[in-house]
């Protein structure tokens, strides 16, 4: 394993290397999962040097193997009565800190490796929120694009007909992710309620307000990302004011990251979808983006019909050639490679913070860290969504609703606390300023200590 952040070769390093080697042999084809594990492992050497009990109790081997992986057939009928079959997954990775918690992704690229990488990341992200939630992820290779509302509803119902027996408010609490928003969560919850015959609102989060959902959940990941970057900037005696920002994606996370960045006085000049990106030198008109993506489900290319000064370019990766002060990747995994990172750096980027999960590959992360770019890793920077999901669970349990401002204030405080935890852990273990190491260590230690307290099982 390459060790870009740490140099020591020690018993700790040998132990970590050996667990990773075994994992590579066992799951040779699960590239995304191995990448996510490697990114965490390289940060942990200083922790294992100070905690020999983690080695003695083989904590790493226990943490990298999911508690269970549920995989099931989902059969549904389209509007022409044709029968289709998809694969459904739920990876329940760890419930050391609390009930399994993590979103559902509906996208044709979904497979076991992607589910495992996302669930693995989720363990440490959820631990960082300081709220009592474990790590999980799920989804299906179902492609929602081009499907009618009735088809989406029937698919969600078929998916929950299989999943319901494995989830529950104190067991496992799914939510949304790519391709799963408030509408899908509503259909999933409706089916769960029908089967169980009980109103267990806490079984799913991301429900729509008025139907058990929390205000500010829709905005939470994007707003939380910007609150996290605000902390990074404040430490560098900077702010969002008049900064040029590029955001990839134009889905839930991207839209609300743009909204809050604009609110803080930044100029957002570009965003994208899976076909291409738009550059608007006058600053993105978010009303147009919301109308296109949230209301009409159109392609981002149509933006230029409303803003003639904007330019549309085919392909996703070109967005990173646009000069900016702050880059916020908010689309999907591995969208920034080493080359894209070098281009961003050459064009003067000062801050990169991840709204998506694992959008930067390991080479890109090293480029940012080695070139003085402030880098906010996903498991810390995008934790605002799941943190607000946990606030939704709290509201559901106590049968109360908080106002938008109450939730938003709690979210803001949580993001500040996550930043402080990452910064403090990095300093404590000798990597001041390295939030990747800080996030991995702060997230990991809580889970490892919990595991030891539970005993071997
Ligand atoms: P959405 O489905 O709402 O939006 C995803 C967006 O990314 C769409 O605009 C999509 O375009 C675009 N996209 C997909 N692939 C690419 C690509 N290769 N290049 C450029 N754009 C692309 O998902 P979310 O906004 O919810 O999720 C985005 C990311 O954030 C994911 O990594 C997710 O795991 C992560 N995340 C989400 C959270 C949440 O609360 N929603 C919480 C924490 C993390 P198109 O419309 O063409 O598909």
């Amino acid at each position: 394993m390459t060790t870009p952040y740490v140099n020591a070769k020690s018993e700790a390093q040998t132990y970590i290397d050996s667990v990773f080697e075994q994992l590579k042999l066992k799951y040779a084809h699960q590239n995304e999962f191995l990448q996510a594990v490697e990114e965490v492992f390289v940060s942990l050497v200083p922790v294992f040097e100070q905690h020999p009990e983690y080695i003695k109790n083989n904590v790493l081997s226990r943490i990298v193997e999911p508690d269970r992986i549920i995989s099931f057939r989902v059969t549904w009928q389209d509007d022409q009565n044709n029968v289709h079959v998809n694969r459904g997954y739920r990876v329940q990775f760890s419930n050391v800190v609390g009930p399994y918690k993590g979103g559902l992704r509906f996208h044709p690229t979904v497979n076991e490796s992607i589910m495992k990488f996302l669930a693995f990341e989720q363990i440490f992200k959820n631990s960082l929120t300081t709220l009592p939630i474990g790590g999980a992820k799920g989804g299906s290779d179902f492609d929602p694009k081009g499907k009618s509302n009735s088809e989406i509803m029937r698919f969600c119902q078929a998916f929950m007909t299989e999943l319901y027996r494995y989830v529950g408010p104190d067991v496992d609490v799914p939510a949304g992710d790519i391709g799963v928003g408030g509408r899908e969560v509503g259909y999933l919850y409706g089916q769960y309620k029908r089967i169980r015959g009980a109103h267990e609102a806490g079984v799913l989060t991301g429900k729509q307000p008025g139907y058990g959902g929390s205000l500010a959940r829709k905005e939470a990941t994007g707003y939380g990302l910007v609150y996290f970057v605000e902390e990074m900037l404040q430490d560098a005696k900077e702010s969002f004011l008049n900064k040029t920002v590029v955001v990839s994606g134009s889905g839930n996370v991207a839209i609300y990251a743009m909204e809050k960045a604009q609110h803080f006085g930044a100029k957002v000049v570009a965003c994208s979808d899976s076909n291409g990106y738009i550059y608007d030198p006058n600053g993105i008109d978010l009303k147009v983006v919301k109308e296109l993506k949230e209301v009409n489900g159109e392609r981002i290319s149509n933006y230029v019909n409303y803003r003639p000064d904007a330019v549309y370019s085919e392909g996703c990766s070109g967005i990173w050639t646009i000069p900016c002060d702050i880059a916020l990747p908010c689309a999907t995994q591995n969208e920034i490679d080493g080359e894209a990172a070098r281009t961003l750096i050459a064009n003067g980027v000062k801050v990169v913070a991840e709204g998506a999960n694992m959008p930067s590959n390991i080479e890109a992360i090293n480029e940012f860290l080695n070139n003085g770019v402030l880098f906010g890793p996903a498991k810390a920077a995008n934790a605002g969504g799941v943190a607000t999901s946990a606030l939704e669970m709290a509201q559901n349990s106590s049968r109360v609703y908080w106002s938008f401002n109450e939730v938003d204030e709690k979210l803001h405080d949580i993001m500040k606390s996550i930043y402080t935890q990452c910064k403090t852990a990095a300093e404590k273990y000798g990597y001041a300023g390295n939030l990747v190491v800080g996030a991995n260590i702060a997230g990991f230690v809580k889970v490892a200590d919990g595991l030891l307290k539970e005993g071997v099982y």
Side-chain angles (χ1 to χ4, degrees):
M1 190 195 301
T2 51
T3 56
Y5 320 126
V6 283
N7 301 317
K9 184 77 183 171
S10 57
E11 188 195 353
Q13 178 80 67
T14 309
Y15 168 68
I16 292 172
D17 283 352
S18 86
V19 175
F20 191 63
E21 286 309 313
Q22 286 167 31
L23 207 67
K24 279 204 292 193
L25 285 176
K26 209 164 160 187
Y27 300 114
H29 303 297
Q30 298 188 347
N31 294 332
E32 294 85 0
F33 174 56
L34 292 173
Q35 180 184 336
V37 171
E38 182 174 7
E39 195 247 282
V40 172
F41 274 19
V42 293
S43 304
L44 296 180
V45 178
V47 181
F48 276 71
E49 279 167 348
Q50 292 188 26
H51 291 275
E53 73 276 17
Y54 291 165
I55 301 178
K56 187 161 169 274
N57 287 283
N58 200 5
V59 161
L60 271 193
S61 300
R62 292 158 69 184
I63 279 184
V64 290
E65 202 52 64
D67 291 354
R68 66 195 61 79
I69 299 174
I70 299 143
S71 167
F72 47 90
R73 172 169 55 82
V74 186
T75 306
W76 58 282
Q77 263 181 312
D78 66 23
D79 290 342
Q80 287 72 44
N81 294 330
N82 300 309
V83 177
H84 299 268
V85 175
N86 285 95
R87 199 77 214 144
Y89 300 92
R90 187 70 181 164
V91 177
Q92 296 179 334
F93 220 119
S94 164
N95 66 354
V96 169
V97 177
Y100 301 108
K101 179 96 195 80
L104 298 172
R105 176 177 291 191
F106 292 168
H107 195 270
T109 56
V110 161
N111 58 35
E112 197 169 303
S113 171
I114 289 183
M115 294 285 97
K116 279 176 70 180
F117 117 63
L118 289 164
F120 181 74
E121 285 275 298
Q122 198 81 44
I123 306 171
F124 308 110
K125 180 187 308 194
N126 292 3
S127 157
L128 279 173
T129 65
T130 70
L131 300 166
I133 39 179
K137 202 81 187 189
S140 172
D141 56 4
F142 171 74
D143 186 358
K145 275 209 191 85
K147 303 291 187 297
S148 71
N149 187 39
S150 310
E151 289 171 335
I152 299 277
M153 183 182 74
R154 283 196 293 279
F155 179 81
C156 289
Q157 290 172 342
F159 186 88
M160 185 50 86
T161 302
E162 284 303 314
L163 186 67
Y164 85 94
R165 64 195 89 220
Y166 308 108
V167 296
D170 295 316
V171 180
D172 182 355
V173 183
D177 189 74
I178 292 177
V180 179
R183 174 183 62 165
E184 290 75 16
V185 170
Y187 293 149
L188 290 161
Y189 181 50
Q191 183 72 349
Y192 179 85
K193 207 167 51 151
R194 204 166 297 124
I195 296 171
R196 299 278 301 157
H199 218 303
E200 298 170 353
V203 69
L204 281 158
T205 59
K207 301 180 292 295
Q208 295 183 47
Y211 188 60
S214 174
L215 293 170
R217 172 61 188 90
K218 183 174 70 171
E219 292 81 359
T221 309
Y223 278 21
L225 170 68
V226 171
Y227 292 150
F228 188 89
V229 174
E230 192 193 24
E231 296 301 303
M232 297 167 74
L233 288 167
Q234 265 174 23
D235 258 357
K237 312 247 174 308
E238 286 282 359
S239 78
F240 267 101
L241 194 62
N242 298 326
K243 295 286 185 304
T244 302
V245 179
V246 165
V247 178
S248 66
S250 50
N252 173 257
V253 179
I255 285 176
Y256 292 96
M258 291 194 269
E259 184 166 280
K260 189 48 81 175
Q262 288 180 344
H263 178 77
F264 283 165
K267 186 177 184 187
V268 183
V269 294
C271 67
S272 59
D273 63 19
S274 56
N275 293 115
Y277 64 95
I278 46 158
Y279 170 66
D280 188 340
N282 304 319
I284 295 285
D285 185 336
L286 206 50
K287 266 202 229 115
V288 172
V289 175
K290 284 187 179 181
E291 184 76 15
L292 290 173
K293 303 304 280 188
E294 288 191 329
V295 181
N296 301 333
E298 291 179 51
R299 309 312 297 156
I300 202 68
S301 53
N302 291 349
Y303 181 90
V304 297
N305 301 334
Y306 300 84
R307 298 283 296 222
D309 286 349
V311 180
Y312 173 74
S313 306
E314 275 292 320
C316 306
S317 56
I319 194 169
W320 306 121
T321 62
I322 299 171
C324 61
D325 303 304
I326 300 172
L328 303 176
C330 295
T332 194
Q333 63 271 2
N334 290 327
E335 44 170 321
I336 302 186
D337 58 11
E339 192 188 329
R342 284 186 286 278
T343 306
L344 278 164
I345 293 164
N347 286 335
V349 75
K350 307 280 183 316
V351 180
V352 177
E354 300 183 316
N357 284 311
M358 208 168 73
S360 320
N361 72 12
I362 291 180
E363 188 189 353
I365 295 173
N366 288 331
E367 290 287 353
F368 294 136
L369 293 177
N370 295 336
N371 285 283
V373 175
L374 298 178
F375 182 75
K379 63 173 73 64
N382 75 22
V386 74
T388 307
S389 278
L391 300 178
E392 183 174 329
M393 289 163 73
Q395 293 170 77
N396 291 155
S397 308
S398 53
R399 308 278 201 271
V400 294
Y401 288 110
W402 300 331
S403 69
F404 187 98
N405 285 345
E406 274 177 286
V407 179
D408 191 30
E409 274 170 27
K410 287 184 205 301
L411 167 67
H412 204 155
D413 288 344
I414 289 169
M415 297 315 295
K416 284 183 183 178
S417 142
I418 293 174
Y419 177 74
T420 306
Q421 287 177 68
C422 298
K423 185 179 155 187
T424 310
E427 283 166 1
K428 180 176 170 193
Y429 287 94
Y431 291 86
N434 186 331
L435 298 175
V436 177
V437 170
N440 286 334
I441 291 179
F444 174 84
V445 167
K446 193 164 146 195
V447 181
D449 287 345
L451 203 66
L452 293 187
K453 290 190 181 89
E454 287 186 349
V456 177
Y457 68 96

